[in-house]
Amino acid sequence: MHSSTSFIHRLGSALLILLLATHCAPSTGGTIDDDGSLNNAFASIESTPWTLVSFITADGPLAIPETFTPTLKFEDGHYLFDAGCNAVSGEYELRDNVPKLVGTIAMHTMSCAGETGGEEAMVLEDAFAESLLSWSDHRMVDDEWHITYEGGELVFTRESSE
């Protein structure tokens, strides 16, 4: 059984500088313009929550709980990923309108195994925290944000403001 407690202990208090690569592949919905400014895709990264729709690992896709919508939010220099059990959070900076994750990863370590969707939530949150260590590229395709990391890919969509 994968233990979020052991992951947090492995991570310790080491300073992690986690970078999203600024070399975005051109795609519809989000590229860096010739003048270095970012077009509309990333300009509103802080204005809306992002919903996780796909999480592919080296072992295959992870189940997305149906009882809770896993979301990633960026606000006031902090990010928060919540799949319904133990939220994963930390700090980020916008550099050239691209989020750069900095500092330590914080995560609660309670068990949600007895709750509906709890096991899936714990697995997602652990995998998300581990993926942060190797985010290597990202691209926007319309309102989908694809984040590549060592061993897989996360796909988020913008939550509707309606």
Side-chain angles (χ1 to χ4, degrees):
M1 177 176 202
H2 185 73
S3 167
S4 60
T5 303
S6 66
F7 173 73
I8 296 301
H9 288 273
R10 269 188 305 146
L11 195 57
S13 61
L15 176 63
L16 302 175
I17 300 177
L18 306 166
L19 301 175
L20 283 173
T22 58
H23 306 291
C24 297
S27 61
T28 60
T31 58
I32 297 176
D33 295 332
D34 290 338
D35 65 359
S37 64
L38 210 53
N39 70 14
N40 64 354
F42 288 106
S44 63
I45 195 166
E46 294 180 300
S47 66
T48 183
W50 295 87
T51 301
L52 180 67
V53 295
S54 175
F55 199 136
I56 306 298
T57 70
D59 296 326
L62 296 180
I64 309 289
E66 295 179 13
T67 56
F68 189 85
T69 303
T71 57
L72 175 61
K73 298 177 185 175
F74 292 92
E75 186 174 6
D76 297 328
H78 293 87
Y79 67 88
L80 176 72
F81 176 75
D82 188 358
C85 181
N86 295 300
V88 180
S89 62
E91 296 178 354
Y92 75 95
E93 298 173 352
L94 282 179
R95 296 185 191 153
D96 299 323
N97 290 322
V98 178
K100 307 281 187 191
L101 307 181
V102 296
T104 58
I105 299 170
M107 184 173 170
H108 296 111
T109 57
M110 64 184 209
S111 175
C112 300
E115 300 175 28
T116 304
E119 192 69 39
E120 292 93 349
M122 290 188 312
V123 168
L124 277 179
E125 289 160 344
D126 285 347
F128 179 83
E130 287 189 41
S131 80
L132 289 171
L133 301 172
S134 63
W135 283 13
S136 59
D137 194 19
H138 64 117
R139 70 188 186 288
M140 295 295 282
V141 179
D142 298 320
D143 275 345
E144 286 189 347
W145 187 12
H146 296 252
I147 301 169
T148 304
Y149 71 96
E150 186 178 314
E153 180 182 61
L154 298 100
V155 178
F156 292 89
T157 59
R158 292 181 197 272
E159 276 191 16
S160 167
S161 59
E162 298 173 19

